[in-house]
Amino acid sequence: VGRRYPPLNALRGFEATARHGSFRDAADELCVTHSAISHQVKQLEDTLGVTLFERGPRQVALTEAGRAYYPVVGEALTKILDATEAV
C-alpha cells in the first residue's frame, strides 16, 4: 500500500494562510478566490482529520496541530521551490 499524499494545492493554501493569518491575503498571493483557499484548507483538514485553524471574523489563527504542521510544510515547499529554481 502506497503512502497517501495530501493535495499540493491544499498545502500551498495552508502555508500561505498560516503565514498571512488570513484566507483573503493567501488568496491574493496565490491568485485564487478567498473561497478556493477556504475549501483547500478544509480539504486538507479533512484529509488529516484535524483542525488546523481557528476561524475568526476577519482572521484565522493556527491551532496547536497547525502550529506543529506549518514549519514542516513551509520547509518542504521551500525545498521544492529551491530545487525548481536550481533546475
Side-chain angles (χ1 to χ4, degrees):
V1 176
R3 296 171 73 178
R4 185 166 180 232
Y5 292 95
L8 183 56
N9 279 341
L11 291 173
R12 290 178 63 217
F14 164 72
E15 189 278 334
T17 301
R19 191 165 19 88
H20 290 289
S22 162
F23 288 139
R24 188 162 310 284
D25 291 345
D28 288 346
E29 177 183 319
L30 298 175
C31 300
V32 297
T33 65
H34 168 271
S35 178
I37 292 293
S38 179
H39 282 92
Q40 289 172 1
V41 170
K42 178 65 174 142
Q43 178 187 27
L44 183 59
E45 289 175 327
D46 290 346
T47 298
L48 299 174
V50 298
T51 301
L52 298 169
F53 292 102
E54 294 190 21
R55 288 137 171 95
R58 296 221 189 300
Q59 65 181 32
V60 294
L62 288 167
T63 62
E64 184 176 339
R67 286 190 302 275
Y69 198 47
Y70 170 58
V72 176
V73 171
E75 182 178 340
L77 291 175
T78 297
K79 285 181 179 183
I80 291 168
L81 180 60
D82 291 347
T84 301
E85 290 173 350
V87 171

